[in-house]
Amino acid sequence: MRRRELTAMALGLLAAPAVQAQGPWPQGRPIRVICPWPPGAANDTLARLLAQRLQEKLGATAVVENRTGGAGLIGTNAVLQAAPDGYTLLGSAFNTAVMPLVLRGATFDPQRDLEVMARTAQAPLVMVISGQRPQRTVAEVVAAAKANPRDWGIAISSLGSAGHLATIEFNRRTGANLDMVTYRGTQPALTDLMGGNIQLLIDPSFALLPATADGRVRALAIAAPRRSSLAPDLPTMAEAGLPGYEFQSWYGVWAPKGTPSEICERVNGLMQETMRDPAIVQRLTAQVLEPVTESIAETRRFIAAEITRASELLRSVNYQPE
């Protein structure tokens, strides 16, 4: 036998125990699902659902870590820097795809530097107004804002959120030029809206529709192609005079670049199975969340289209990352 062949065989024998020791995934170590948003948000709800299913279906120990701050960048960076072994996952949202377009400190490329595993759910956006304002329609809001621009401000729950992009488009389409005030999450923005300190907010229906129950906040329109069965009297933005104005927030799972494809596919299959579960569908639908079942290839195409749309919109208004 040639020396080269003997050397190759020896190296193979030395490497074999290490490969065998790794074992199948998951095994022996907890899986961390990092959520860059606070508890209670849709991101957190879906991250916890992922952790629960990893435990139920794969026998893994899975924990959710809420690493907030930096408009989602702190938690995202933690995943970008983690080992690509399937034991650190990112449970986040629309923001992940567009973060580098709106945040100066986000230097990663979501399509190059992360492995997408699945898109799990989506929710149309809703425009709400403070109950202290008399306007009942989008047209009335636009007219009032143009007449007295200093009297109007619109909240942004987070830089790079779907609501942020939707607000930029609303200003562009209507010419209302509403003053945008950035908050650290939907809840603080809602609190100021209820108190009359800010006048408008566009954010996911998941968070806003329940807040309209006591009248301190009123819904004006939903940015969806059709009315919601949970709010059948709420007009679409098209019905309110903005045809084609459709925005949604969506939620997904990512992993560090280089995570083995078989692990990504396994998580994708698990989440597709989860989002077809009638009990899960009923639970999410009641919260104005629509379950999504897509292959990894389909999700990649979807995200690429979302990034293109966001890039074109931000370029059209000469937006500069903050």
Side-chain angles (χ1 to χ4, degrees), residues 172-194:
R172 191 185 73 84
R173 288 275 299 269
T174 65
N177 199 27
L178 297 163
D179 184 32
M180 295 186 288
V181 181
T182 304
Y183 287 79
R184 297 183 67 176
T186 300
Q187 196 53 53
L190 261 178
T191 299
D192 264 10
L193 191 73
M194 291 174 177

Side-chain angles (χ1 to χ4, degrees), residues 42 46 119-124 205-206 224-226 228 230 248-251 275-276 280-294:
L46 290 160
R119 198 162 66 96
T120 55
Q122 58 193 22
S205 48
F206 171 91
R226 62 190 66 84
S228 168
L230 295 178
Q248 62 181 357
S249 186
W250 49 265
Y251 310 91
M275 293 305 161
R276 290 191 181 99
I280 298 296
V281 172
Q282 183 178 18
R283 171 183 161 190
L284 295 182
T285 302
Q287 297 175 324
V288 205
L289 281 166
E290 177 187 344
V292 172
T293 56
E294 289 177 342

Side-chain angles (χ1 to χ4, degrees), residues 8-186:
M9 182 181 293
L11 289 172
L13 289 170
L14 286 171
V19 173
Q20 187 176 7
Q22 289 179 358
W25 177 91
Q27 181 179 350
R29 293 169 53 193
I31 298 172
R32 297 183 305 152
V33 181
I34 293 180
C35 177
W37 311 101
N43 308 270
D44 178 69
T45 296
L46 290 160
R48 293 183 188 280
L49 178 58
L50 168 62
Q52 176 188 335
R53 299 300 267 194
L54 287 168
Q55 293 189 160
E56 291 175 353
K57 299 295 184 179
L58 304 183
T61 299
V63 295
V64 173
E65 294 183 11
N66 296 94
R67 295 206 184 180
T68 63
L73 185 56
I74 290 176
T76 302
N77 277 339
V79 176
L80 286 163
Q81 295 162 11
D85 54 11
Y87 291 94
T88 304
L89 309 181
L90 174 67
S92 193
F94 173 93
N95 310 59
T96 300
V98 302
M99 204 178 286
L101 301 176
V102 297
L103 295 178
R104 192 179 296 114
T107 58
F108 69 98
D109 182 327
Q111 295 174 285
R112 182 194 65 209
D113 300 327
L114 288 168
E115 301 287 356
V116 64
M117 288 180 149
R119 198 162 66 96
T120 55
Q122 58 193 22
L125 302 193
V126 170
M127 171 179 271
V128 294
I129 186 172
S130 169
Q132 299 181 24
R133 291 284 166 146
Q135 288 76 19
R136 298 277 172 175
T137 68
V138 172
E140 289 175 357
V141 166
V142 172
K146 286 183 174 180
N148 298 289
R150 292 186 179 181
D151 291 344
W152 291 86
I154 187 165
I156 305 295
S157 65
S158 177
L159 288 174
S161 66
H164 183 193
L165 275 290
T167 301
I168 290 173
E169 175 67 354
F170 184 81
N171 273 344
R172 191 185 73 84
R173 288 275 299 269
T174 65
N177 199 27
L178 297 163
D179 184 32
M180 295 186 288
V181 181
T182 304
Y183 287 79
R184 297 183 67 176
T186 300

Side-chain angles (χ1 to χ4, degrees), residues 203-320:
D203 231 28
S205 48
F206 171 91
L208 299 190
L209 287 182
T212 63
D214 63 5
R216 288 186 294 170
V217 171
R218 280 197 313 279
L220 296 176
I222 188 167
R226 62 190 66 84
R227 295 191 180 200
S228 168
S229 60
L230 295 178
D233 295 331
L234 185 63
T236 65
M237 279 291 194
E239 292 173 319
L242 292 175
Y245 185 97
E246 296 175 12
F247 282 88
Q248 62 181 357
S249 186
W250 49 265
Y251 310 91
V253 186
W254 289 261
K257 183 67 177 178
T259 300
S261 59
E262 56 268 26
I263 294 178
C264 295
E265 291 290 351
R266 195 169 182 191
V267 172
N268 179 272
L270 174 63
M271 294 317 295
Q272 287 203 51
E273 176 188 340
T274 298
M275 293 305 161
R276 290 191 181 99
D277 183 327
I280 298 296
V281 172
Q282 183 178 18
R283 171 183 161 190
L284 295 182
T285 302
Q287 297 175 324
V288 205
L289 281 166
E290 177 187 344
V292 172
T293 56
E294 289 177 342
S295 68
I296 290 177
E298 289 170 329
T299 298
R300 283 179 182 146
R301 288 194 292 271
F302 176 87
I303 291 175
E306 288 285 273
I307 291 172
T308 297
R309 182 193 187 194
S311 298
E312 292 173 351
L313 171 58
L314 294 171
R315 193 180 304 115
S316 73
V317 296
N318 195 30
Y319 180 87
Q320 299 301 313

